[in-house]
Amino acid sequence: MPKISISCSSPIKDIETTKFLHKTLGWALGSASNMLAMGEKGFFYTCQLYLSDHMEHDKKIRAIISFFQSKNIPLTIIEIADDEDWGSVDPDNLGEIKINEAQILNELNSSDDYGD
């Protein structure tokens, strides 16, 4: 059951995106704006997949990817194993654990728990 985190690949200042994080993920507007301004180091969504709340995470991940693609804002998605700790991740060396949007969507689509 992998763990993922999602951030913007580059720092952005965009009110629509800030409002999206506020509405979809419950971030306060100021906090959402700060996370987006941090770019790749401002992870605004983190979860562990395939637990009892998987469908909720699946829905949010798909909404995030869809929204950011519609705005042409690239995302950074990192994935670690369930037995790894986020504290061991080097924020200056994310390349080895990055996955792209197609990879996470394929992973979600191939999940036994996935359904419409």
Side-chain angles (χ1 to χ4, degrees):
M1 288 165 248
K3 300 174 187 174
I4 65 157
S5 274
I6 303 173
S7 66
C8 291
S9 294
S10 300
I12 65 164
K13 286 279 189 188
D14 180 75
I15 191 66
E16 284 182 59
T17 307
T18 301
K19 287 180 181 179
F20 171 82
L21 293 184
H22 170 70
K23 179 180 176 186
T24 307
L25 303 179
W27 282 97
L29 291 172
S31 296
S33 178
N34 290 339
M35 297 303 277
L36 294 169
M38 291 174 64
E40 194 168 66
K41 294 181 182 178
F43 291 100
F44 54 77
Y45 190 74
T46 300
C47 70
Q48 185 165 357
L49 299 176
Y50 311 120
L51 298 176
S52 61
D53 55 357
H54 173 70
M55 291 309 294
E56 179 184 331
H57 292 303
D58 181 294
K59 182 179 176 182
K60 286 181 181 179
I61 292 165
R62 290 174 189 278
I64 291 166
I65 290 172
S66 177
F67 178 85
F68 280 80
Q69 284 179 338
S70 75
K71 302 269 297 164
N72 293 315
I73 300 171
L75 293 171
T76 294
I77 305 170
I78 60 171
E79 180 179 65
I80 61 173
D82 63 342
D83 62 344
E84 293 181 273
D85 187 335
W86 288 115
S88 65
V89 172
D90 178 1
D92 295 320
N93 191 20
L94 300 178
E96 295 178 12
I97 58 173
K98 279 186 189 179
I99 61 173
N100 63 42
E101 295 160 14
Q103 288 172 302
I104 189 66
L105 291 174
N106 286 338
E107 192 170 323
L108 294 173
N109 289 341
S110 67
S111 164
D112 291 340
D113 296 329
Y114 178 73
D116 290 326

